[in-house]
Amino acid sequence: MALTKVIGSGIGTVTNQFVDANLPAGSIIQVANVDAHAQIAVTGTSYANISGYSIAFTCSSASNKILIITTMQTYKNNTTDNDGFELGVAAGGTAINYINGYNIRGAGVNVGSYGTVGNSFYYHPNSTSEITYTVIARSTAGGSFLINANNASGAALDAGNQSSTSSFTIMEVVV
């Protein structure tokens, strides 16, 4: 294939063509992500931050939205009757979204369930200031549930062999 030489007068003036403001609506202009393997037990009935799942994020334009995605690997053992869990996301310490995990009903005990609880939603922070977003969780009746549960025998797995990985992702979307 032959190469073509473009003379300066043939391309016109190219100035600031690739700045965020020139990108079409729906473009993703920045992404932040946390993936973690550590097992975390949640027992409280009030929402609390989940350690390791926080992202400090600054939108480049106050008119843009962010897409928030959580994918949490969970385990719930029915040691408390009629118990379950709920997950959510907080922005600057204020809850902005909730999602129910699962509830285990009845009197049976030691009936465990593993599951992936995912959630995605748009949020409009209307700000160009840094905001810290955090995954929050609570037990509905005070029984324990686990994020990134170790294997069934209870033996801790090292990070290289951990079977569960949960993730928290934020993307800025041009509006």
Side-chain angles (χ1 to χ4, degrees):
M1 170 183 244
L3 296 176
T4 304
K5 180 178 179 183
V6 178
I7 309 295
S9 62
I11 62 170
T13 303
V14 177
T15 306
N16 297 324
Q17 297 298 309
F18 301 107
V19 295
D20 292 346
N22 290 341
L23 293 173
S27 296
I28 303 295
I29 57 175
Q30 64 173 315
V31 177
N33 174 265
V34 172
D35 289 327
H37 302 283
Q39 178 174 288
I40 299 168
V42 177
T43 58
T45 56
S46 295
Y47 278 98
N49 294 343
I50 302 302
S51 178
Y53 295 94
S54 292
I55 298 173
F57 197 85
T58 305
C59 281
S60 61
S61 170
S63 63
N64 289 344
K65 291 185 179 183
I66 58 174
L67 175 61
I68 299 175
I69 302 168
T70 57
T71 306
M72 308 304 286
Q73 305 303 323
T74 62
Y75 174 76
K76 178 70 182 101
N77 191 352
N78 190 23
T79 56
T80 302
D81 194 21
N82 294 321
D83 196 16
F85 67 90
E86 295 174 350
L87 295 165
V89 174
T94 301
I96 58 172
N97 182 269
Y98 301 106
I99 182 170
N100 288 328
Y102 41 80
N103 288 310
I104 297 178
R105 302 276 183 218
V109 295
N110 297 322
V111 178
S113 293
Y114 288 92
T116 301
V117 178
N119 187 20
S120 61
F121 63 98
Y122 279 106
Y123 178 66
H124 188 203
N126 196 27
S127 173
T128 56
S129 297
E130 181 178 271
I131 299 172
T132 299
Y133 298 89
T134 307
V135 176
I136 56 176
R138 75 179 192 100
S139 171
T140 58
S144 178
F145 80 91
L146 302 174
I147 295 174
N148 296 330
N150 292 330
N151 65 19
S153 70
L157 301 175
D158 63 73
N161 295 315
Q162 182 73 36
S163 59
S164 292
T165 301
S166 294
S167 65
F168 180 37
T169 305
I170 298 176
M171 299 181 217
E172 183 177 358
V173 181
V174 175
V175 177

